[in-house]
Amino acid sequence: SRHGPGAQRARKKYVLLGLCTCCWLLLYYWGGLQERLLGLITHRRGEVARPWPNWLDRDLLPGYADQVELQNGGGPGDSPRQRRQSWTGIYKDSHCRMDTCFDFARCQGQSGFRVYIYPPEKGERVSESYRKILTSVAESRYYTSDPREACLFVLGIDTLDRDQLSTQFVPNVDERIRGYPLWNDGRNHVIFNLYSGTWPNYTEDLGFNVGQAILAKASLNTEHFRPGFDISIPLFSKEHPQKGGERGWLVRNTVPPRRKYLLMFKGKRYLTGIGSDTRNALHHIHNGKDIVSLTTCRHGKDWEKHKDARCDHDNQEYE
């Protein structure tokens, strides 16, 4: 009876304890082997070995993926390497900040903060929108006609529309600005831009190197916006008044505020490629009253090949 059920239970307990001990020894040995293999690999690479599992931490991440490698927002037809090269070429000075790419000494003289506008060349094409920007600066108390007094420089060349298919596209900007004696790789310059990049890549290529210039731009890509340096501006139409304008619909101390329009959008409706799904998905919110969304299919040379049943009606409303 001494070798009955009680003894069998004890024997099972010892067998289970022995199995657990073997498993623990195997894990200990395998973990130590992994650590030795990791040390061998890292020593070959000239790196400092780190105990497992703490070697995979934030300090090592920049060595695998840095900001430049993540700038790969090109179109589906480009390889990752081509997209990286494209972004790198456009945002060559992506690390610019006011303390590294701006000369404050120009702003500390007796004149203080003054803005100089390059005089437009003879026969220079300037859009109505860019003319309003230049006029606003020229009529402000910060304007100076003497470049020696200037803290900030504004190009006389119209850089608002950098879509090569646009009639307002100005060619040879890179060659022209590099010929300016005061250009200095764009330092203390501000460049205005509303439209850049188009289907299928949307690389925001301005067609010239902005260098160390401040970029005042609509629809800035968050990956390439230089905080405290670049300026995000709204997209405005050529009909936007230079000064004043009609009184708005917002009534003071009214909650919710009384407005005639809650939301307004007018632009191109891409039939294929990036952006097409978004604007098609939001088509139903248009009611023609307080929510107005007007789109046109007329975009690109072969838009009629991709036109859908809504295009004729949408184009008519847009016009």
Side-chain angles (χ1 to χ4, degrees):
S1 63
R2 287 184 300 172
H3 300 284
Q8 292 178 1
R9 284 196 298 270
R11 191 162 43 247
K12 288 181 180 179
K13 183 187 298 183
Y14 288 124
V15 170
L16 182 61
L17 182 61
L19 288 174
C20 291
T21 303
C22 291
C23 291
W24 183 85
L25 289 172
L26 284 173
L27 287 174
Y28 179 82
Y29 174 79
W30 179 241
L33 179 62
Q34 279 189 325
E35 185 174 342
R36 287 194 293 273
L37 287 174
L38 176 63
L40 181 63
I41 294 172
T42 55
H43 279 307
R44 284 183 179 177
R45 293 181 180 175
E47 299 170 354
V48 179
R50 298 186 177 213
W52 181 86
N54 296 324
W55 62 274
L56 188 61
D57 56 21
R58 291 181 178 272
D59 294 336
L60 290 179
L61 290 178
Y64 293 97
D66 56 24
Q67 184 178 5
V68 175
E69 290 178 318
L70 294 173
Q71 294 171 353
N72 57 354
D78 296 336
S79 68
R81 174 175 292 183
Q82 288 173 325
R83 292 197 291 267
R84 285 196 298 268
Q85 290 175 346
S86 176
W87 287 117
T88 304
I90 298 166
Y91 298 96
K92 178 182 174 183
D93 296 281
S94 58
H95 299 291
C96 268
R97 298 295 183 267
M98 292 298 291
D99 57 343
T100 59
C101 294
F102 194 88
D103 183 8
F104 286 97
R106 299 196 64 96
C107 314
Q108 295 172 352
Q110 294 181 351
S111 302
F113 183 79
R114 291 288 182 267
V115 184
Y116 174 78
I117 301 175
Y118 285 88
E121 299 177 11
K122 187 177 181 180
E124 184 78 62
R125 292 183 298 170
V126 178
S127 65
E128 183 63 26
S129 296
Y130 196 62
R131 194 182 304 279
K132 290 176 181 178
I133 293 176
L134 297 182
T135 304
S136 298
V137 175
E139 293 181 354
S140 72
R141 61 190 178 94
Y142 302 105
Y143 173 73
T144 178
S145 59
D146 187 350
R148 294 172 297 182
E149 298 179 349
C151 167
L152 199 65
F153 298 85
V154 177
L155 298 179
I157 304 172
D158 188 348
T159 57
L160 285 188
D161 194 342
R162 301 307 297 163
D163 185 346
Q164 295 188 22
L165 299 178
S166 172
T167 57
Q168 296 180 340
F169 178 82
V170 179
N172 305 321
V173 173
D174 200 39
E175 180 182 349
R176 293 171 61 183
I177 60 177
R178 280 190 281 110
Y180 290 164
L182 299 172
W183 173 243
N184 192 24
D185 195 33
R187 184 166 285 229
N188 287 56
H189 285 67
V190 60
I191 293 173
F192 293 91
N193 176 254
L194 295 180
Y195 313 96
S196 67
T198 186
W199 184 89
N201 295 324
Y202 299 92
T203 57
E204 302 182 26
D205 189 355
L206 301 185
F208 63 95
N209 183 17
V210 300
Q212 300 179 48
I214 297 170
L215 193 59
K217 184 177 177 358
S219 302
L220 267 165
N221 191 312
T222 56
E223 290 184 11
H224 311 110
F225 175 74
R226 297 169 291 185
F229 191 77
D230 289 330
I231 305 167
S232 179
I233 60 175
L235 182 67
F236 57 89
S237 67
K238 61 183 179 180
E239 288 82 17
H240 190 84
Q242 180 183 324
K243 294 180 179 179
E246 296 182 4
R247 189 167 181 170
W249 292 90
L250 180 62
V251 180
R252 188 177 179 183
N253 297 330
T254 302
V255 180
R258 293 202 298 268
R259 299 186 178 104
K260 182 177 181 180
Y261 297 107
L262 175 65
L263 183 147
M264 172 68 192
F265 175 78
K266 185 177 182 182
K268 298 169 182 175
R269 178 163 69 86
Y270 304 115
L271 298 171
T272 59
I274 302 173
S276 57
D277 292 341
T278 304
R279 296 186 183 182
N280 285 332
L282 295 174
H283 176 76
H284 67 283
I285 68 173
H286 169 71
N287 60 19
K289 297 177 182 178
D290 60 335
I291 300 178
V292 181
S293 178
L294 304 173
T295 60
T296 177
C297 297
R298 293 189 177 93
H299 176 57
K301 297 179 180 179
D302 58 347
W303 69 271
E304 291 183 292
K305 296 179 181 178
H306 306 284
K307 67 181 296 187
D308 54 29
R310 291 208 328 259
C311 278
D312 290 337
H313 178 264
D314 287 355
N315 291 346
Q316 184 177 2
E317 269 200 323
Y318 181 90
E319 296 299 330

